[in-house]
Amino acid sequence: MAFFRKDLLDIESLSSEEVENILDTAAGMKEISFRPIKKVPTLRGKTVILLFHEPSTRTKMSFDVAAKRLSADTHSIAKASSSFTKGETLVDTARNLEAMRPDAIVIRHSSSGAPYLLAGRLSASIINAGDGTHAHPTQALLDMFTVREKKGKLAGLSIAIIGDITHSRVARSDICGFTKMGATVTVCGPGTMIPPGVEALGAKRVRRVEEAVQGADVVMMLRIQKERQKGSLIPSEREYARVYGLNPERAALAAPDVLIMHPGPINRGVEISPEVADGPYSIILDQVTNGVAVRMALLYLLVGGRGE
Ligand code: CP
């Protein structure tokens, strides 16, 4: 199936067939990372710019690794060392970068909607690597890829997402993606961290973490996004861990072959205990490995062949 998009901005605008296409392409890409020589010439001569206005370890590095495994050239620009500090706007920055003729710009920004602003103005492919509290589509795609790889399907699975849903762009994109592919999603967290009307996103809400975990095929834990909160939304991290943290006793309530996931970075002992994070059901590092394959697939589908 052909993929005719210029940009990857969110999960909402993708059809389930397009999601399948991306996941299938990623499955083909994955083995490249396990070869002795981890490089193919697919995107030779292409240029990818990584424009990150927020910190990142996994997303930025895996886009960089993904592009280089496809032989594209990558260049990074960070907020603190860019002319943003001299008053240049995001659009002016992006237009100047576009003048250097990149094929794709991967952007992470604290403002929801920033990637859309660029997508409408630039001819380079724009890939949303996380915008404010709005969306993190490549995280959702790698999460779906990882679950599909482990379970052989997405439809019919029950997914529990627990934590700071309000401030999590991962939660929004995951709820959209998993429900689009036929899974059911249940969310749970403190009342101050569940957005009003979360049901409209397609998720069911429950009050107690035990209820969310009971029988779940997948349990996805989220960190408390302090950097996006105005004031403290919980009495203490210790109290949060006691009421909402995933420990071995709570994990035992899930399906016997549960997958424990976390987009990272994890806060050990807060939302997830070390025994669970490092335990036999944890696939947290598989998510990171698969992030490279999914981002290779996206770069290939969006950039490969464009302008030929
Ligand atoms: N999952 C994720 O977005 O991690 P980083 O913030 O390290 O990129």
Side-chain angles (χ1 to χ4, degrees), residues 115-234:
Y116 297 77
L117 202 63
L118 302 194
R121 287 172 166 79
L122 308 185
S123 60
S125 287
I126 303 299
I127 303 178
N128 184 357
D131 62 326
T133 58
H134 172 244
H136 195 345
T138 65
Q139 180 71 42
L141 288 164
L142 76 87
D143 289 342
M144 288 189 276
F145 179 88
T146 306
V147 173
R148 193 183 77 156
E149 183 181 62
K150 301 284 180 193
K151 298 280 190 191
K153 62 175 185 178
L154 293 172
L157 297 179
S158 65
I159 319 278
I161 304 180
I162 297 164
D164 182 3
I165 310 293
T166 298
H167 302 96
S168 173
R169 54 197 175 203
V170 174
R172 272 180 189 70
S173 290
D174 269 338
I175 292 169
C176 180
F178 280 112
T179 55
K180 190 184 287 277
M181 303 311 286
T184 58
V185 177
T186 301
V187 297
C188 180
T192 49
M193 296 184 189
I194 302 288
V198 69
E199 294 82 2
L201 301 176
K204 177 183 162 199
R205 179 191 175 182
V206 297
R207 306 270 165 188
R208 295 180 59 244
V209 69
E210 289 80 5
E211 198 184 339
V213 171
Q214 187 75 47
D217 299 301
V218 175
V219 177
M220 168 104 54
M221 301 308 294
L222 300 175
R223 111 188 133 80
I224 303 169
Q225 307 239 333
K226 286 184 208 153
E227 72 274 25
R228 301 192 200 287
Q229 296 177 357
K230 294 181 187 74
S232 179
L233 299 181
I234 50 166

Side-chain angles (χ1 to χ4, degrees), residues 65-129:
V65 168
K68 286 183 169 126
R69 289 204 174 144
L70 295 173
S71 298
D73 297 309
T74 66
H75 308 275
S76 288
I77 177 165
K79 182 179 175 183
S81 56
S82 77
S83 288
F84 173 83
T85 57
K86 301 176 211 164
E88 189 167 57
T89 66
L90 174 65
V91 170
D92 279 334
T93 301
R95 290 182 66 217
N96 278 268
L97 295 176
E98 167 123 306
M100 301 174 203
R101 298 189 47 76
D103 298 282
I105 298 177
V106 180
I107 176 172
R108 170 169 285 191
H109 203 277
S110 57
S111 297
S112 298
Y116 297 77
L117 202 63
L118 302 194
R121 287 172 166 79
L122 308 185
S123 60
S125 287
I126 303 299
I127 303 178
N128 184 357

